[in-house]
């Protein structure tokens, strides 16, 4: 974790001026001192309770003893320390027992845990679950479920996916039927019985908390008894593993939610991942089979409620990907500084009588380190900026809040997906720097890669995010989001062009912006979604590179004039690397987008 803290300090205070958030009434009690105290605590817990056990949680996978899921003792201790720190409810109101911490600071603090051990976890699902209930739940649901989740008594899941329905949630078949004639008068919300299977549910079974609160998407059948096709029919339910009374105490009844099996994963093994059977009758409850669930919000509006949480969940995934990328960068930097191998090539070739040099002295190793730095610190800056926009959306003036909302619409798919792809590539480069040692379990970098490989898959796959960006986000509301982003990028260009050392990059960024704009139009020239979206992933790669290049240029503009700090030179070099080696790639990515190249879409199946 060598330079994470100074990097965060620079980005938060010298670039984003996060300390000025205390000018907002909500954050008036805060200052840089209180933010720093939060970082000190998180850094300490991550160093003592997370980092030493990252390999352990990878090798000691969760296991089921027929009754309980067993996790290493270290996971319990890390979880307890995390709960005791108050970070689960840090961003909540004082009345909720929270600290009213800005989301920007909460998000930044999360990187300490994720770089130390991403899969031990820092409550992302529990927070997301409880936050959703605060917005869409009834008073009783907030009191009984959300508040106990923020307090760490209960933990939370998001149960959307099913074995046959992952990307296409409209095809879920979990069924919810009213439970009894008085179903509508349950104080915890309209009561239903759920039946169905939920696949891939993270933290779906464990003993870390007293109870597990599943938030489950299911369909309420229409009057003909059939499930309504499409996303319209989807509703959202609270399904606790153990039933709870209005007083928040467990009633002693086990709900009909059964673990069908644990998934054995490539990485991220410290978190259990489960196939759950809801309502199969393994644990009959209150006289019958069917998991008891309480409706959240209105019937058929389940996805709308879920989408409320999507921006922050996706920023969370981007931060996890970035943190893993940074962890690999730091490990490979340390390794490169100490590994002697090879000799410099001079005009007369190599001199074998000379001692070997350390690999960090080879230009190709520096290339791989700079690539990692430019990907991971660029991604971190973008994500902190997105987190800052979330704060703006919640506490800014109405105009600023609206701008933040629109910008977040276009930036969120990038914030989730770009780090998932390029910080994973950073992990691959970290392995490469270690040579053969990187391919063994004696060094941590292979685990970072395996852990990171998840991020392109969950929370909307890469392909789905790309289709969302090109198919919806850049065209929605008359292209408002893209226009606003272009406006912000142009503002950075105008400032950069006035400084001789950044003028060339400013021009390159201007050209990249034009290219992305033209490609967006060309992709949609025939108004045929099939043609436009066939090349959505290369479009997203180019779009992401544009956004990261803009972010880097904006970051280096914040450096003090004539700075002599080595870290600032590092930032200027990483930005330059990105402009010289990465940004030019967008031409190749955009070419098939502009021409609506049908090579992939029209490939006959039998020709593979
Ligand atoms: C470790 C792990 C943890 C997870 N945690 C949770 C969780 O806590 N809760 C939860 O609900 N889910 C969770 N998921 C599920 C995850 O969100 C899904 O795996 C993901 O949405 C993809 O669904 P799928 O696996 O069924 O793949 P599919 O949807 O079958 O996709 C397979 C491939 O087809 C592509 N594809 C699918 N549809 C299209 C399309 N229309 N156009 C173009 N390409 C398409 C996809 O991009 C992908 O490459 C988790 C998954 C994993 C692996």
């Amino acid at each position: 974790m060598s330079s994470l803290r100074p990097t965060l300090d620079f980005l938060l205070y010298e670039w984003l001026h996060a300390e000025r958030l205390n000018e907002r009434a909500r954050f008036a009690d805060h200052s840089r001192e209180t933010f720093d105290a939060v970082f000190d605590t998180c850094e300490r817990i991550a160093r003592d309770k997370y980092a030493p056990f990252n390999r352990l949680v990878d090798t000691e996978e969760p296991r089921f003893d027929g009754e309980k899921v067993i996790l290493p003792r270290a996971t319990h201790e890390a979880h307890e320390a995390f709960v005791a720190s108050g970070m689960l409810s840090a961003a909540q109101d004082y009345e909720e027992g929270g600290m009213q911490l800005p989301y920007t600071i909460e998000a930044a603090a999360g990187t300490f845990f994720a770089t130390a051990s991403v899969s031990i976890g820092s409550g992302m699902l529990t927070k997301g679950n409880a936050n959703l209930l605060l917005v869409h739940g009834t008073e009783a649901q907030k009191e009984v479920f959300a508040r106990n989740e923020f307090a760490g008594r209960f933990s939370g899941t998001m149960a959307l996916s099913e074995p046959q329905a992952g990307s296409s949630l409209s095809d879920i078949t979990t069924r919810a039927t009213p439970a009894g004639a008085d179903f509508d008068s349950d104080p915890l919300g309209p009561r239903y019985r759920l039946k169905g299977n939920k696949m891939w549910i993270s933290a779906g079974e464990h003993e870390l908390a007293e109870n597990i609160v599943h938030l489950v998407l299911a369909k309420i059948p229409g009057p003909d008894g059939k499930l309504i096709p499409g996303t319209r029919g989807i509703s959202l339910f609270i399904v606790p593993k153990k039933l709870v009374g209005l007083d928040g105490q467990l009633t002693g009844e086990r709900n009909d939610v059964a673990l069908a099996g644990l998934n054995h994963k490539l990485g991220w093994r410290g978190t259990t991942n489960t196939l759950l059977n809801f309502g199969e009758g393994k644990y009959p409850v209150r006289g019958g089979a069917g998991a008891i669930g309480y409706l959240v919000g209105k019937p058929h509006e389940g996805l709308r409620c879920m989408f409320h949480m999507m921006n922050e969940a996706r920023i969370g995934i981007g931060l996890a990907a970035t943190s893993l990328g940074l962890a690999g960068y730091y490990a490979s930097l340390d390794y490169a500084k100490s590994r002697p191998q090879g000799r410099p090539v001079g005009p007369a070739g190599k001199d074998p009588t000379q001692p070997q040099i350390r690999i960090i002295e080879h230009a190709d190793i520096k290339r791989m380190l700079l690539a990692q730095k430019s990907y991971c610190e660029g991604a971190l800056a973008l994500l902190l900026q997105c987190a800052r926009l979330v704060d703006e959306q919640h506490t800014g003036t109405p105009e600023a809040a609206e701008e933040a909302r629109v910008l977040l619409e276009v930036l969120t798919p990038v914030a989730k997906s770009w780090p998932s792809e390029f910080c994973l590539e950073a992990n691959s480069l970290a392995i490469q720097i270690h040579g053969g040692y990187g391919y063994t379990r004696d060094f941590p970098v292979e685990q970072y890669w395996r852990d990171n490989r998840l991020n392109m898959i969950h929370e909307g796959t890469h392909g789905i995010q790309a289709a969302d960006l090109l198919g919806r986000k850049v065209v929605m509301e008359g292209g408002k989001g893209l226009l606003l982003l272009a406006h912000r990028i142009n503002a950075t260009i105008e400032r950069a062009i006035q400084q001789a050392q950044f003028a060339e990059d400013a021009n390159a960024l201007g050209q990249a912006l034009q290219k992305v704009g033209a490609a967006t139009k060309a992709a949609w020239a025939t108004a045929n979604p099939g043609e436009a979206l066939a090349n959505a992933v290369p479009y997203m790669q180019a779009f992401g590179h544009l956004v990261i290049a803009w972010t880097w240029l904006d970051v280096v503009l914040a450096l003090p004039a004539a700075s002599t700090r080595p870290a600032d030179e590092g930032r200027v070099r990483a930005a330059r690397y990105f402009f010289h080696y990465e940004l030019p790639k967008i031409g190749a990515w955009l070419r098939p987008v502009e021409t609506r190249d049908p090579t992939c879409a029209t490939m006959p199946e039998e020709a593979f």
Side-chain angles (χ1 to χ4, degrees):
M1 271 190 275
S2 43
S3 60
L4 177 59
R5 181 73 182 263
T7 302
L8 284 175
D9 283 348
F10 169 77
L11 291 173
L12 288 171
Y13 301 126
E14 294 186 48
W15 181 51
L16 290 175
H17 302 292
E19 70 284 2
R20 291 188 200 153
L21 279 165
N22 72 0
E23 290 161 14
R24 312 269 161 99
R26 180 172 178 78
F27 309 126
D29 295 340
H30 284 293
S31 61
R32 178 163 179 175
E33 284 68 38
T34 60
F35 297 160
D36 285 349
V38 167
F39 293 150
D40 291 344
T41 304
C42 293
E43 206 176 3
R44 177 178 47 75
I45 297 172
R47 187 185 55 237
D48 297 345
K49 302 282 183 185
Y50 282 64
F53 308 105
N54 193 39
R55 178 61 86 185
L56 178 87
V57 299
D58 184 56
T59 49
E60 278 189 31
E61 270 189 275
R63 67 188 167 82
F64 185 50
D65 70 358
E67 207 180 309
K68 289 180 177 155
V69 169
I70 317 282
L71 291 168
R73 183 72 230 140
T75 306
H76 288 259
E77 285 170 7
H79 180 75
E80 282 155 22
F82 182 79
V83 169
S85 74
M87 286 308 290
L88 267 174
S89 59
Q92 299 309 315
D93 297 353
Y94 293 134
E95 302 87 78
E96 298 288 347
M99 309 178 204
Q100 292 195 184
L101 202 63
Y103 176 62
T104 311
I105 302 302
E106 187 194 32
T111 59
F112 293 113
F113 301 106
T115 48
S117 180
V118 77
S119 73
I120 286 180
S122 49
M124 191 167 79
L125 285 164
T126 300
K127 276 188 270 185
N129 176 314
N131 268 323
L132 186 152
L133 291 179
L134 282 193
V135 178
H136 297 287
T138 62
E139 268 316 307
Q141 290 173 341
K142 289 181 205 174
E143 186 60 32
V144 172
F145 299 108
R147 291 187 184 125
N148 279 316
E149 288 185 78
F150 283 131
R153 254 190 85 205
F154 299 170
S155 75
T157 75
M158 295 283 191
L160 290 70
S161 308
E162 297 183 3
Q164 81 298 345
S167 302
S168 179
L169 287 174
S170 59
D171 292 298
I172 63 166
T173 56
T174 297
R175 177 182 276 266
T177 46
D182 64 342
F183 81 100
D184 226 0
S185 53
D186 194 305
L188 288 177
R191 193 181 59 239
Y192 287 73
R193 291 269 186 179
L194 276 76
K195 287 190 183 175
N197 314 107
K198 289 288 173 183
M199 182 56 164
W200 305 119
I201 307 312
S202 294
E205 185 61 78
H206 55 74
E207 302 294 318
L208 292 170
E210 245 180 84
N211 201 2
I212 302 177
V213 180
H214 302 289
L215 274 182
V216 182
L217 289 183
K219 288 189 172 182
I220 301 171
D224 59 357
K226 292 192 183 144
L227 298 183
I228 302 169
T231 51
R232 259 186 327 114
I234 299 178
S235 306
L236 180 66
F237 300 87
I238 299 168
V239 184
K241 173 180 159 185
K242 298 171 186 168
L243 294 186
V244 191
L246 253 192
D247 57 359
Q249 297 308 312
L250 304 186
T251 62
E253 298 157 295
R254 166 87 204 229
N255 203 359
D256 195 8
V257 183
L259 177 73
L262 293 174
N263 293 311
H264 299 286
K265 295 171 286 170
L266 177 72
W268 211 297
R269 291 180 177 162
T271 306
T272 51
N273 190 270
T274 57
L275 170 60
L276 296 177
N277 288 345
F278 287 81
E280 66 173 359
K282 181 161 183 192
Y283 301 104
V285 58
R286 296 195 183 158
I292 291 178
Y294 308 99
L295 182 70
V296 179
K298 298 202 178 94
H300 312 305
E301 293 197 355
L303 265 193
R304 195 180 66 78
C305 296
M306 276 283 177
F307 273 117
H308 188 93
M309 297 315 306
M310 291 297 184
N311 280 349
E312 286 173 46
R314 289 177 178 166
I315 292 171
I317 299 301
L319 277 166
T322 302
S323 301
L324 284 163
L326 285 167
Y329 169 56
Y330 300 143
S332 61
L333 179 58
D334 281 352
Y335 185 82
K337 283 179 182 170
S338 61
R339 168 77 174 166
Q341 199 72 194
R343 292 173 178 80
V345 198
K350 294 179 187 174
D351 179 356
T353 63
Q354 289 302 306
Q356 296 199 88
I357 55 173
R358 293 162 310 128
I359 60 171
I360 196 168
E361 296 174 65
H362 296 301
D364 190 51
I365 296 288
K366 289 185 186 177
R367 173 188 66 81
M368 291 190 277
L369 288 169
L370 261 177
Q372 290 180 69
K373 185 175 171 67
S374 77
Y375 295 159
C376 302
E377 292 184 8
L380 183 63
L382 170 66
L383 285 152
L384 293 176
Q385 190 178 36
C386 287
R388 179 68 188 74
L389 286 170
V390 171
D391 281 323
E392 200 58 38
Q393 203 184 349
H394 293 155
T395 61
T397 60
E399 300 75 41
E402 170 61 9
E403 276 205 4
R405 178 194 69 79
V406 173
L407 272 172
L408 278 171
E409 292 283 10
V410 273
L411 286 178
T412 304
V414 178
K416 188 268 170 185
S417 289
W418 195 91
S420 299
E421 179 172 357
F422 289 95
C423 297
L424 178 70
E425 176 57 21
N427 287 152
S428 179
L429 293 171
I431 294 174
Q432 194 68 20
I433 287 175
H434 283 73
Y437 297 96
Y439 199 63
T440 70
R441 289 187 166 215
D442 297 330
F443 288 84
V445 284
E446 59 83 33
Q447 186 186 343
Y448 296 142
W449 186 88
R450 285 187 291 107
D451 286 349
N452 217 349
R453 190 60 189 83
L454 173 61
N455 291 314
M456 285 175 79
I457 296 172
H458 66 164
E459 201 54 50
T461 65
H462 217 52
I464 296 296
Q465 294 292 343
D468 182 46
L469 178 67
L470 180 55
R472 229 164 60 80
K473 297 301 178 61
V474 294
V475 290
M476 70 192 281
E477 301 176 42
K480 207 168 160 186
L482 192 54
L483 276 175
L484 194 54
L485 179 65
H487 182 72
R488 296 268 174 119
I489 293 177
N490 278 323
T492 302
I493 291 173
E494 272 169 35
R495 286 194 297 133
I497 215 132
Q498 287 159 25
Q499 294 194 31
Q501 61 165 332
F502 300 130
E504 191 189 323
D505 294 343
N507 283 324
L509 186 62
Q511 284 163 20
L513 177 61
Q514 274 176 1
K515 278 191 193 140
V516 168
T520 311
K521 279 204 189 102
W524 283 108
T526 55
N528 178 340
E531 286 183 11
L533 300 184
N535 297 298
V537 166
Y539 176 81
M540 184 171 67
Q541 289 167 315
F543 196 100
H545 263 51
L546 167 73
V547 167
I548 296 290
W550 162 56
T551 304
W552 264 120
L553 191 57
D554 209 70
V555 164
V556 292
L557 285 175
L559 296 176
S563 164
T564 53
R565 295 184 301 195
D568 288 343
E569 169 154 20
R571 291 178 184 115
V572 171
R573 298 275 187 147
R576 190 180 303 155
Y577 174 88
F578 202 83
F579 274 88
H580 289 189
Y581 289 73
E582 294 292 329
L583 193 60
K585 291 179 183 170
I586 74 167
W589 282 319
L590 290 176
R591 177 114 188 97
V593 180
E594 287 156 356
T595 57
R596 296 181 301 284
D597 192 318
T599 306
C600 301
T602 59
M603 172 78 175
E605 210 172 310
E606 55 283 7
F608 278 106

